[in-house]
Amino acid sequence: MIKYLLGNIDNPNAAEIEEYEKAGGYRALTKALSMEPEDVIGEVRKSGLRGRGGAGFPTGMKWMFAANDPKFPKYVICNADEGEPGTFKDRHILEKNPHVLIEGMAIAVHALKAERGYIYLRGEYPEAEKSLQKAINDAYRKGYLGFPLHIHRGAGAYICGEETALIESLEGKRGQPRLKPPFPVNAGFFGGPTVINNVETLANLPFIMASGADSYLKIGSPECPGNKLFPVSGHVERPGVFELPMGTTLREIIYEHAGGIKNGRALKAVIPGGISAPVLPPDKIDCPMDFVSVQKYGSMLGSGAVMVFAEGTCLVKVAWRALKFFEHESCGKCTPCREGTGWLRSILERIENGQGREGDIELMEDVAGNIAGNTFCPLGDGAASVALNFIRHFRSEFEDHIGTDCRKMAVL
Amino acid sequence: MIELTINGRKVQCPPKSTILQAAQANGIYIPHLCWDRRLTPYGGCRLCLVEVEGQKKLLASCSTPAEQGMVVQTETPKLEKARRTVLELLLVHHPLDCPVCDKAGECELQDLAFKYGPSQSRFSGERKHEPEFLAAPLIERNTNRCILCGKCVRVCKEHQGVGAINLIGRGFKTKISPAFEETLDCEFCGQCVDSCPVGALGTKPYRFRSRVWFMEEQPNICPYCSVGCTTVLSLREGRIMRARGKDGVGINEGDLCPRGRFGFDFIESEHRLTTPLLRKGGKLEPASWQEALEFVAARLSEVKAKHGAESVGALGSERCSVEDNYMLRKFMSLAVGSNNLDSRARFGYHKQTGALKKAFGIPWLALDFNAPLAADVLFVLESDLTSTHPVYGLKVLAARRDSEATLIVAGPQETKLATWSSTWLRSRPATGVALVNGIMSAMLEGGLHNKDAEKVNGFPQLAEHLKKYSPGEAARMTGVSAEDIRQTAAALAAAKNPMLFASFGSSSNTKGEGTALALMDLAILLGRGPEALGMPPEFANTLGLQMAFGDEGKGLDARQMLYGNGQKPIKALYIMGENPAVTFPGTAKVMKALEGLDLLIVQDIMMTETAAMAHVVLPAASWSEKEGTFVGLTGKPQKFVKCLPETGLSMPDWKILRNLGTLMKAEMGAGNFAELAEETAENVLSAQLPAATPALTAVEQATTETTEDGYRLLLATGNLMQHSGSLTAISKNLGSAVSDAYLQINPADAKACGVTDEGFAKVSGKNGAVIYLKAKVTVEVPEGMVFVPTHFAHAGVNMLTSPPTNGEAPAVAVKVEAA
């Protein structure tokens, strides 16, 4: 199995440009630069690469939209605001293998005839900034970069991982999502056509350019080719980031790569794609992990962050903690998200504390049902669907929790 | 047109409409809280959700474009449920303090909760416990009531071009605040207050004054500048409680500036005159109307008998109605027999009417209020349009924002338009003529001018004259680079629909008739007529006064009457609604002339500095206490109404003049207002604007004074957005925003003069006058220039100024020292 994202992760000097070059780095860029930008886009389209940020939008198509827009200057922005709870995959690229991202950005900038590139980096990743900045400096020194490439550190808002809020923030404004359309590919950063790609997406480009779309298509599943990084956390023996082909089943990820459930306990629930993805019960873990299959199983691949909960975990508490996160991170722009996340959190809080009332579950379903789909951006949708899906799969646990405190139940 | 189906009805809407606009255009109501006609859609409140066939999700109609063939439902059980949830969520944090909220009764949240809302809350969350913010003038903020629709933020930033407030914090903790939670310090236009759907923003003067259901609404025409906005007054028991803009009402369609929204309280000033006053033993003593009018009649007859009728003069008022000024003219000709009739417009509006006569052979301009929106290149010369004519200025701003027109602002001051301009040509003060000449010169140099202009009278002379103003030479005179001058010429010449803007007020002393004339020359070279000029008159009825006074040149003008330029000195002066001791340039000369009069009659609404010198003072009813007609910048008459009782014994100006004229045995007519209005409509307002015949005139760059050693700073005087003439100085509301004159000075000059920010400065002119002002050190003015607003009598700014004589800009050279 080929690992082109974090293959050299065990080399302590992997982040050094010389090591990267030794492993074949920057040859893909050289090749791309010798091609017409249109052909680079053609190759990426052919590769079937889908965005790794969560939505799985075909990257080549996104590029084509931006390239076809007659406006200049154009911009390439790397979304490195990795804030989805459970997700820590980009961090490894940023800290341990930054050149694969920089090379990917350079390819993107060339393909799109962009004027400059920005890396919008999560504010809580100070180490990543250091290694990334060093890598950028080295790439300049070696003459690989012919365009301005800036790092912009975020200020800690989850919403700035949403691409339009990211642009607002990068422009120096309050991080709040913008109306779409127009989409960033037509009117993004300061109104220019802008491509925003996730770190991992851009990191796929060197392999695609070096080995060709055909070899890329051989990896992973037909509708979602390529490798995917799976950050696994929770009650597993070996939590960590795993580079595996798209379509690897949840079972394989949890039981083979992550070493199974901690202390041999039984699996209770798993979130397959970061906290916003609907939770799955244990009987769904044969789900192949790619954008298409996970949807069929009633959840979404999202960032691919697998969060594992073993038997004995209070899922009411998990749901409460998730809603607390969404309440804290709601930007405040639209009513349902701003007010609804707090309401849901507060209901979950009283159930968790043994103060739940009859009808609370139905109330939550009603409120969440009226938030889902009615918010300005997916943050509110995510929050509502977390509540709805926990109830859907684990209703009896919620019902049992009404009026009791599970911490005391354990004592009894 | 796009065709779509809403609620089963086939409807049409123009392209680029949203679903909400399509519905509104067809009388279909969709509830909304964060949408505003003037602003880009926000999509935050989520109340305007609709169902669209083929779409799984509910869509926000405010931000979803209407498409051909769309099938939309606006009222379904699913939508009602979604809306009810949104309202329920909004009410979770809303304090429900309706009994003490000034908004109650006209609160959109209250109305919507009534329409959709549950009467019971299923959830009572934490409420906000912010204190009310009352420290700022005029505007109060109650963030607890805020529903975070963000309209105030956007109206301030997008529509007004200010950006004084924004959302801070996030989620439930989000609130509207000035930067760093400081006290609000802005233009105080109050547009945010009108846009607030709930009671989170209010006007302090209205705080706890009335419940809305006890008030009557009365739209009236604003008495301040010439835009002629409709300000909607709320009345209770014969008093104005507040004034607001109402969406779609009046030429302003709901926009208002600080003056129109807060300036109404001058009516209730303690300085209002309540009885006629007669000077007895050196003091003004109350008298009856009988006594006062008999005194005036007798003394006027005396002066006439001794010095002849031509020794009597009168000053009309740009704030009084067409009818009032018409009666003054009638009184002067029938009862007195004199043509010595003028007004303050001599120092302001006449700069442009003088130029108009020369350039186009027309007596005034009738502006198309919305013309700036259709312009693609807008050139603003040395004018702070958003301060002098705020709501007209918004149109210029809108052209720049909405249609991305090119906005070129020329002038030394960093005005709001300068900050929003595409190009700011920072010229030296009072060099407008040189700049425009330079632009015209560049145009001729490149052959960019409209070739038809070559056939216009005066073209060869102008072309010859402009050789002196090559872009290089103009650059030397103005401080704007030759390159910028050429580019401006090219941009204007390439424009499909260029417009040239300038305001000529009596208080702005950096422009003269020459400045207006040069701009008109430029318009002609661009192949345009008067329609390309955006030059509004100064006050509410400046143009109406001009119409009422009719032909000029028959008698003495204000310069001849008051500045000793007359062939024979004036012995008696009848002043209606004017305060020359403060508002006329060159105070010393004016005072001397007033002191030398045998008879000074002042008819005014308040005790002014001029009235204090009078032999007799006649109390006049103010705007809203009388009816009348204003003619503003569009040239179309607008009636204003009487909605208040007259103060004390005051009477409408026209009535005083009629009574006095009748007493003096003149046939005054005007048995009542209706008769008078009919007469003025026939004699004054029926006048038609003749067709324009262009002519080019060569204009030299000239100012009355030049800077020299010691007097090296050029003093520019002008208007503030919050004030208008000297009338607003008695408005307590506006006084709470700006209550004193100040001296704006560049940091470099301040340092050289030893003046510190907020410190006092001594300003002396070559004429020996000295005034003291608080300094505001700012880069808004360039080096070599200081700026002072002229509204405040006690500051005595006009001690330093002088009236224009020959079309040049009457700027003043001053010396500034620390005081």
Side-chain angles (χ1 to χ4, degrees), chain B residues 44-350:
Chain B
C45 75
R46 312 313 280 179
L47 263 176
C48 69
L49 296 171
V50 293
E51 279 191 74
V52 175
E53 219 174 79
Q55 296 282 341
K56 245 168 65 190
K57 286 174 78 170
L58 302 178
L59 300 180
S61 62
C62 70
S63 46
T64 308
E67 282 167 23
Q68 185 68 31
M70 232 178 198
V71 180
V72 180
Q73 291 292 337
T74 70
E75 297 285 344
T76 64
K78 190 175 167 193
L79 286 170
E80 192 172 324
K81 189 144 189 275
R83 287 180 193 148
R84 203 182 305 136
T85 306
V86 167
L87 285 163
E88 192 178 6
L89 288 165
L90 283 173
L91 293 170
V92 162
H93 288 134
H94 196 74
L96 299 177
D97 58 348
C98 309
V100 291
C101 177
D102 287 323
K103 194 76 177 184
E106 56 185 11
C107 170
E108 289 173 41
L109 182 62
Q110 211 177 36
D111 292 349
L112 286 168
F114 184 76
K115 182 173 161 69
Y116 292 98
S119 54
Q120 265 183 330
S121 293
R122 289 183 288 174
F123 181 61
S124 72
E126 183 193 350
R127 279 161 165 65
K128 290 183 184 177
H129 297 287
E130 289 273 350
E132 284 176 281
F133 295 95
L134 297 166
L138 295 170
I139 292 168
E140 60 165 18
R141 291 188 294 129
N142 185 326
T143 52
N144 300 335
R145 294 180 188 142
C146 180
I147 55 162
L148 297 171
C149 69
K151 259 158 85 170
C152 53
V153 171
R154 288 173 294 136
V155 94
C156 185
K157 173 80 181 178
E158 280 184 34
H159 190 65
Q160 290 295 124
V162 177
I165 44 175
N166 205 341
L167 299 155
I168 62 168
R170 68 182 188 219
F172 165 58
K173 292 194 181 108
T174 309
K175 64 176 176 184
I176 310 286
S177 167
F180 308 111
E181 301 195 56
E182 285 176 355
T183 301
L184 184 66
D185 184 14
C186 64
E187 289 178 351
F188 300 105
C189 64
Q191 294 270 68
C192 54
V193 178
D194 279 356
S195 74
C196 182
V198 295
L201 288 164
T203 60
K204 279 166 74 179
Y206 174 63
R207 182 175 160 85
F208 300 148
R209 278 192 81 188
S210 178
R211 308 306 288 171
V212 296
W213 48 87
F214 291 131
M215 300 191 295
E216 243 179 278
E217 289 217 316
Q218 177 60 60
N220 217 354
I221 305 301
C222 175
Y224 290 109
C225 79
S226 67
V227 173
C229 292
T230 299
T231 172
V232 181
L233 308 174
S234 297
L235 306 167
R236 186 177 179 187
E237 292 167 18
R239 293 179 72 190
I240 301 177
M241 295 283 117
R242 63 168 178 185
R244 306 184 290 163
K246 271 192 118 174
D247 190 24
V249 176
I251 189 173
N252 48 318
E253 297 180 302
D255 289 327
L256 283 181
C257 75
R259 309 191 286 245
R261 185 173 280 109
F262 299 112
F264 59 83
D265 66 331
F266 74 91
I267 294 171
E268 298 191 351
S269 166
E270 66 267 33
H271 299 292
R272 283 296 301 277
L273 294 166
T274 55
T275 168
L277 301 169
L278 264 181
R279 194 167 290 281
K280 287 176 188 162
K283 270 176 76 182
L284 283 170
E285 302 285 355
S288 70
W289 272 112
Q290 185 75 25
E291 220 183 328
L293 292 187
E294 277 172 358
F295 172 85
V296 174
R299 289 296 311 276
L300 271 177
S301 307
E302 246 176 68
V303 172
K304 256 170 71 176
K306 214 165 145 191
H307 303 285
E310 61 279 12
S311 67
V312 182
L315 294 175
S317 170
E318 297 167 274
R319 294 200 190 284
C320 286
S321 68
V322 174
E323 291 80 5
D324 295 332
N325 283 300
Y326 174 76
M327 276 310 265
L328 181 64
R329 175 181 161 192
K330 207 167 166 188
F331 170 79
M332 284 301 283
S333 70
L334 297 183
V336 179
S338 162
N339 287 318
N340 303 333
L341 198 58
D342 207 356
S343 73
R344 173 169 29 152
R346 176 66 50 200
F347 313 112
Y349 187 52
H350 280 253

Side-chain angles (χ1 to χ4, degrees), chain B residues 650-698:
Chain B
S650 68
M651 269 198 270
D653 291 275
W654 65 268
K655 209 180 241 178
I656 302 173
L657 290 160
R658 181 200 65 187
N659 292 356
L660 186 59
T662 311
L663 190 67
M664 290 170 75
K665 309 278 187 295
E667 279 297 322
M668 296 298 287
N672 56 35
F673 182 78
E675 274 180 43
L676 174 61
E678 205 175 306
E679 195 179 331
T680 48
E682 205 170 293
N683 295 347
V684 178
L685 300 171
S686 60
Q688 293 293 314
L689 207 52
T693 45
L696 290 160
T697 314

Side-chain angles (χ1 to χ4, degrees), chain B residues 504-780:
Chain B
F504 294 87
S506 48
S507 60
S508 69
N509 69 344
T510 56
K511 288 158 289 183
E513 187 181 303
T515 320
L517 199 47
L519 270 178
M520 290 172 200
D521 284 343
L522 177 57
I524 296 170
L525 284 194
L526 291 168
R528 308 285 150 171
E531 77 285 349
L533 301 173
M535 299 183 183
E538 188 168 13
F539 293 112
N541 197 35
T542 299
L543 182 45
L545 169 134
Q546 161 102 359
M547 291 172 165
F549 281 5
D551 293 339
E552 288 175 54
K554 283 186 183 164
L556 302 178
D557 68 25
R559 284 175 302 199
Q560 293 162 323
M561 287 190 260
L562 290 171
Y563 296 87
N565 311 343
Q567 303 89 330
K568 265 171 88 182
I570 289 286
K571 293 292 176 193
L573 189 59
Y574 197 115
I575 300 178
M576 175 179 82
E578 190 50 82
N579 187 9
V582 174
T583 60
F584 281 30
T587 309
K589 278 189 178 167
V590 175
M591 295 297 267
K592 206 173 150 212
L594 294 178
E595 277 160 9
L597 292 169
D598 288 353
L599 175 62
L600 175 59
I601 307 146
V602 174
Q603 174 176 315
D604 209 316
I605 64 161
M606 58 168 171
M607 195 64 204
T608 64
E609 290 71 10
T610 308
M613 300 168 71
H615 298 96
V616 54
V617 181
L618 306 173
S622 84
W623 166 83
S624 276
E625 294 175 349
K626 63 178 179 186
E627 51 192 324
T629 309
F630 286 150
V631 186
L633 53 76
T634 60
K636 294 190 185 79
Q638 296 200 97
K639 292 239 179 276
F640 64 90
V641 298
K642 171 178 163 69
C643 50
L644 304 177
E646 291 152 7
T647 296
L649 297 179
S650 68
M651 269 198 270
D653 291 275
W654 65 268
K655 209 180 241 178
I656 302 173
L657 290 160
R658 181 200 65 187
N659 292 356
L660 186 59
T662 311
L663 190 67
M664 290 170 75
K665 309 278 187 295
E667 279 297 322
M668 296 298 287
N672 56 35
F673 182 78
E675 274 180 43
L676 174 61
E678 205 175 306
E679 195 179 331
T680 48
E682 205 170 293
N683 295 347
V684 178
L685 300 171
S686 60
Q688 293 293 314
L689 207 52
T693 45
L696 290 160
T697 314
V699 194
E700 291 286 6
Q701 164 65 38
T703 46
T704 30
E705 266 186 26
T706 47
T707 51
E708 57 197 53
D709 273 354
Y711 298 88
R712 51 168 213 92
L713 297 175
L714 214 50
L715 168 78
T717 57
N719 251 320
L720 298 177
M721 189 185 194
Q722 294 80 9
H723 283 280
S724 174
S726 62
L727 177 59
T728 52
I730 60 164
S731 160
K732 283 185 180 160
N733 289 348
L734 294 172
S736 69
V738 184
S739 59
D740 201 356
Y742 50 81
L743 176 85
Q744 280 191 325
I745 185 167
N746 185 274
D749 289 329
K751 204 173 166 202
C753 301
V755 172
T756 53
D757 194 33
E758 300 279 295
F760 272 87
K762 177 183 172 188
V763 185
S764 13
K766 286 185 198 168
N767 62 2
V770 175
I771 61 171
Y772 293 86
L773 294 163
K774 204 177 196 181
K776 273 196 183 175
V777 179
T778 170
V779 291
E780 277 179 37

Side-chain angles (χ1 to χ4, degrees), chain B residues 222-512:
Chain B
C222 175
Y224 290 109
C225 79
S226 67
V227 173
C229 292
T230 299
T231 172
V232 181
L233 308 174
S234 297
L235 306 167
R236 186 177 179 187
E237 292 167 18
R239 293 179 72 190
I240 301 177
M241 295 283 117
R242 63 168 178 185
R244 306 184 290 163
K246 271 192 118 174
D247 190 24
V249 176
I251 189 173
N252 48 318
E253 297 180 302
D255 289 327
L256 283 181
C257 75
R259 309 191 286 245
R261 185 173 280 109
F262 299 112
F264 59 83
D265 66 331
F266 74 91
I267 294 171
E268 298 191 351
S269 166
E270 66 267 33
H271 299 292
R272 283 296 301 277
L273 294 166
T274 55
T275 168
L277 301 169
L278 264 181
R279 194 167 290 281
K280 287 176 188 162
K283 270 176 76 182
L284 283 170
E285 302 285 355
S288 70
W289 272 112
Q290 185 75 25
E291 220 183 328
L293 292 187
E294 277 172 358
F295 172 85
V296 174
R299 289 296 311 276
L300 271 177
S301 307
E302 246 176 68
V303 172
K304 256 170 71 176
K306 214 165 145 191
H307 303 285
E310 61 279 12
S311 67
V312 182
L315 294 175
S317 170
E318 297 167 274
R319 294 200 190 284
C320 286
S321 68
V322 174
E323 291 80 5
D324 295 332
N325 283 300
Y326 174 76
M327 276 310 265
L328 181 64
R329 175 181 161 192
K330 207 167 166 188
F331 170 79
M332 284 301 283
S333 70
L334 297 183
V336 179
S338 162
N339 287 318
N340 303 333
L341 198 58
D342 207 356
S343 73
R344 173 169 29 152
R346 176 66 50 200
F347 313 112
Y349 187 52
H350 280 253
K351 292 174 193 166
Q352 90 185 49
T353 52
L356 273 175
K357 264 169 230 154
K358 288 180 191 153
F360 293 111
I362 52 173
W364 70 77
L365 276 177
L367 299 188
D368 173 356
F369 188 59
N370 288 314
L373 297 177
D376 56 347
V377 178
L378 302 93
F379 179 75
V380 182
L381 182 66
E382 283 200 46
S383 298
D384 190 0
L385 270 187
T386 50
S387 289
T388 55
H389 300 81
V391 177
Y392 186 54
L394 288 182
K395 299 283 171 189
V396 177
L397 213 54
R400 169 87 183 113
R401 182 190 61 235
D402 296 340
S403 46
E404 292 180 13
T406 305
L407 172 61
I408 304 169
V409 174
Q413 274 174 288
E414 191 178 356
T415 59
K416 187 158 81 184
L417 288 180
T419 44
W420 286 98
S421 65
S422 344
T423 311
W424 177 25
L425 309 173
R426 194 167 206 182
S427 52
R428 295 199 187 102
T431 59
V433 174
L435 181 67
V436 176
N437 278 346
I439 292 167
M440 289 194 286
S441 180
M443 221 173 258
L444 294 184
E445 178 189 271
L448 306 170
H449 60 287
N450 187 297
K451 298 301 175 284
D452 290 342
E454 292 177 11
K455 296 179 210 130
V456 173
N457 238 343
F459 180 81
Q461 293 88 329
L462 179 70
E464 183 58 33
H465 170 73
L466 289 177
K467 285 180 185 157
K468 278 195 289 181
Y469 290 91
S470 67
E473 189 55 28
R476 194 189 58 75
M477 297 166 87
T478 60
V480 176
S481 77
E483 182 55 27
D484 280 344
I485 291 174
R486 286 202 179 90
Q487 275 180 6
T488 304
L492 282 166
K496 282 198 195 77
N497 192 8
M499 269 194 88
L500 312 173
F501 296 87
S503 60
F504 294 87
S506 48
S507 60
S508 69
N509 69 344
T510 56
K511 288 158 289 183

